[in-house]
Amino acid sequence: MITQLELKNFMAFSDLNINFSPGINIIIGENSTGKTQLLKASYALYSGATLLKNQTNISDDKLAEALTTKLTTLFMPLDGKLRKMHHQGATKQAYLQARFAQDQEIAATFFKNSNTVVIKNRNNYQQYQAKTVFIPTKEVLASMEGFNSLYEKYELSFDQTYQDICLLLDLPKIRPEALHKESKQAMAQIKDICGGYFVFHGGGKVTFKSESAEFSANAMAEGFRKIGMLWRLLETGAIHPGVSGPLFWDEPESNLNPKLIQLLAQILLELSRNNQQIILTTNDYVLLKWFDLLIDKNKDDHILFHTLYRDNNGVININSAENYQSITPNAIADTFNDMTRKQVNKMMGRMGK
Amino acid sequence: MKLRERYIEIDFTDAIDALVFDQMKPDQANYHGIGEMHRVDFIVEFDNAIIFVEIKDPANPDAQEKGLLKFEKEINDGTLSSTFASKFIDSFFYRWAENKLSKTVHYINLVTLEAEVLLNLSDEISKKISPSGKNSKRWQRHPIQNCQVFNIKTWNENFPNWPATRLPADTVAVERI
C-alpha cells in the first residue's frame, strides 16, 4: 500500500504532496493538471521495488538504473531522456519520494542534466512490496495479440503501462480455490452483465464466449472489453484483495455506459472493503457520484477525493476531501454550472439579473 | 416582492406582481380553491414574462430520513419530474382560465440538491410538459420558454436580482405559532 507521495520539480509539478487513503483514491482535475502523471509517478515508485525483487543486496546504482528505466518508459519524455522530465523552468533538482505501509520508503532525485536518478533514501524498499496493476485508459483486449513481442522489438508509441497490462492479462489463471471470494463475486457480476466471458488463449489471443457461441474479442463492445480487463485481472490473481499492491486505473469510465459504471463502482468498493487499495483518475460525474452514493461508513469505507488545480500563478496544487460535496475546486461540477448558466442566458436573457 | 415557502424566501425585486399560487386557505387572498389540481408554489409576473416557481427542499432542517428516501425514490423512478410537469400543466390551465397568460412563461424551480443532478431533472421535466418534448408546427406560441431547476447557490448565481435565502429554523417555527 502506498501512503504518501511527494513530487518536486517533476513533470507538471513544482511541489506536490499527497496522502493516500488505504481504500479508494479518486483523482480529478481539469486537463493538463497532471492526473495521469500523478498516477504514473505513484505506480513507478511502487512497482520500482518489485523490479529487482528476487535479487539480494541491490546497490543504489542498480536500483537507480531500474527506476530510471521505469520512469522513462512510463512517461516517454522527448528523446527518452530523464532530464526532459525535469519541471520546466525549475532551477532546483527534481525530487520524488514515496512512503508505503510498513515503513518502506524511497526517495530519488535528478537534475536538468542527469541521465539517471540518484537514490537519496531507501528504507526496506524491496521488502514486502506486492505486485501492482496499472490499467491504462485504452482497453487492450482487441489489440494484445502479438503486442508484447512487437513492443520488445520496436519503438512503439505506447507507454510501458500498455506492455505491463498485456503481460498481466496473459498470465495463467489461478486455481479457482485460490480465488478470493470477492473476486469470484465480481467476476460473476461482470459475466452476468456482459452475457459471457473472455477467454485468454495465450500470446495475447482473446475471444469472447457466450452460452451459445464464441466470438472474436473485436466483435464485442468496447465497454465490455474494458470491464473484461478487470475480470481477467481478477481471474489471474493480479488483483487479489488483501495480497496485491494498489490498483492504479487511469479513467476507468472511458467507453463504459452508465450501467457498467455503476457496476464498476460497486465492484471497486467491494474490493476496497477487502483491503484492496485503489487509486484512479476520472473526468466523469457518474462514476464520482456512484462512489459517493454507494459509500457505507458502517462498512468502514474510506474514499478520498483528490482534486488537482492550477492556482493563479499556474502552479499545480492538490486538495483532498472525504466526500464529493467538499471537493474544491471541482472541475466537473463547474462544467455542469456552466451549462446551467448557458441555458439561462440563452432562454431568459437578462431576467433576474 | 418577497415570497416564502417554508424555510426558503425569494425576493423578486423587479416583479410587478407575485403571488403564492398554491394558497389553500379560504380566508387568504388568491385562494386557489381546487384541491384536485396540481399547483406550483409561486407565480411571478414581470414586464415581459411570467415565471412559475416550484420549490422542493429536501435539505431543510426538518427533513426526516423516511421523507428523504421517498424523495430519492421519486427522483430515480421519474415520479418527481412527472409531479413537476403536472404542477406546471395544471397551473398553466388555471391561469389560462383566469386569462392571465399573455406573456412568455418560464418554469423556474428550486430544489435543494446538487447542481449536477438538477441538469438532468430539468431535461426530464421539459420532456414531460409537452409530450416527448415536441411542439406542433400549428402552434402559434410556445407554452413554455424555459424549464430549469436550480439549487439555492445556482439560483443566486443566475438570478442575482431574485435573491433566495434559507431562513433560520427558529424564525419559521415562531411564525407558524
Side-chain angles (χ1 to χ4, degrees), chain B residues 100-135:
Chain B
K100 297 272 192 187
L101 283 180
S102 56
K103 299 175 183 173
T104 301
V105 178
H106 303 286
Y107 191 20
I108 303 302
N109 305 295
L110 201 158
V111 178
T112 51
L113 288 176
E114 285 163 24
E116 294 87 330
V117 181
L118 303 180
L119 210 62
N120 188 48
L121 182 61
S122 303
D123 290 344
E124 266 188 41
I125 301 167
S126 293
K127 279 184 199 163
K128 288 176 180 174
I129 283 179
S130 62
S132 308
K134 290 175 182 165
N135 296 330

Side-chain angles (χ1 to χ4, degrees), chain A residues 4 12 17 19 37 89-90 112 129-130 156 179 204 230 265 271 277:
Chain A
Q4 187 246 340
N17 201 330
N19 291 305
Q37 290 183 9
K112 275 194 279 192
Q129 207 84 321
L156 301 181
L179 268 180
L230 177 60
L271 293 175
Q277 188 184 30

Side-chain angles (χ1 to χ4, degrees), chain A residues 251-272:
Chain A
E251 295 179 18
E253 74 275 10
S254 60
N255 305 119
L256 295 190
N257 72 36
K259 276 201 174 153
L260 282 174
I261 288 177
Q262 179 188 354
L263 173 69
L264 179 70
Q266 278 169 345
I267 290 174
L268 293 181
L269 260 174
E270 282 298 335
L271 293 175
S272 80

Side-chain angles (χ1 to χ4, degrees), chain A residues 129-261:
Chain A
Q129 207 84 321
K131 288 267 187 191
T132 181
V133 175
F134 187 109
I135 306 180
T137 316
K138 297 183 188 72
E139 70 81 23
V140 297
L141 296 195
S143 53
M144 62 183 274
E145 190 168 3
F147 180 84
N148 188 43
S149 49
L150 279 174
Y151 191 88
E152 293 288 340
K153 197 169 176 183
Y154 300 105
E155 281 192 10
L156 301 181
S157 55
F158 287 90
D159 66 51
Q160 178 78 46
T161 60
Y162 285 92
Q163 189 197 23
D164 288 354
I165 195 69
C166 286
L167 289 173
L168 288 178
L169 290 167
D170 235 4
L171 287 174
K173 55 186 175 189
I174 58 170
R175 293 180 189 282
E177 62 270 23
L179 268 180
H180 194 286
K181 78 171 175 34
E182 201 46 56
S183 301
K184 278 185 195 166
Q185 202 171 329
M187 287 168 67
Q189 286 173 301
I190 295 171
K191 186 179 165 188
D192 196 36
I193 207 160
C194 295
Y197 57 94
F198 288 93
V199 182
F200 291 72
H201 302 271
K205 184 183 176 188
V206 186
T207 56
F208 181 83
K209 207 166 184 176
S210 70
E211 264 188 27
S212 55
E214 192 166 359
F215 310 92
S216 148
N218 280 287
M220 299 309 298
E222 262 187 280
F224 285 178
R225 296 201 298 259
K226 188 86 188 261
I227 202 125
M229 290 166 68
L230 177 60
W231 186 89
R232 178 62 178 178
L233 293 165
L234 293 166
E235 189 184 34
T236 62
I239 299 173
H240 192 111
V243 176
S244 49
L247 164 61
F248 298 93
W249 200 337
D250 198 6
E251 295 179 18
E253 74 275 10
S254 60
N255 305 119
L256 295 190
N257 72 36
K259 276 201 174 153
L260 282 174
I261 288 177

Side-chain angles (χ1 to χ4, degrees), chain A residues 76-92:
Chain A
M76 299 183 78
L78 190 63
D79 305 326
K81 304 288 187 200
L82 178 75
R83 55 179 173 266
K84 302 284 186 187
M85 296 163 72
H86 194 260
H87 181 65
Q88 202 174 3
T91 51
K92 293 185 177 169

Side-chain angles (χ1 to χ4, degrees), chain A residues 60-61 64 68 82 107-111 114 116-121:
Chain A
D60 278 2
D61 286 350
T68 303
L82 178 75
T109 61
F110 65 90
F111 281 99
S114 302
T116 59
V117 297
V118 174
I119 303 297
K120 284 291 174 191
N121 192 10

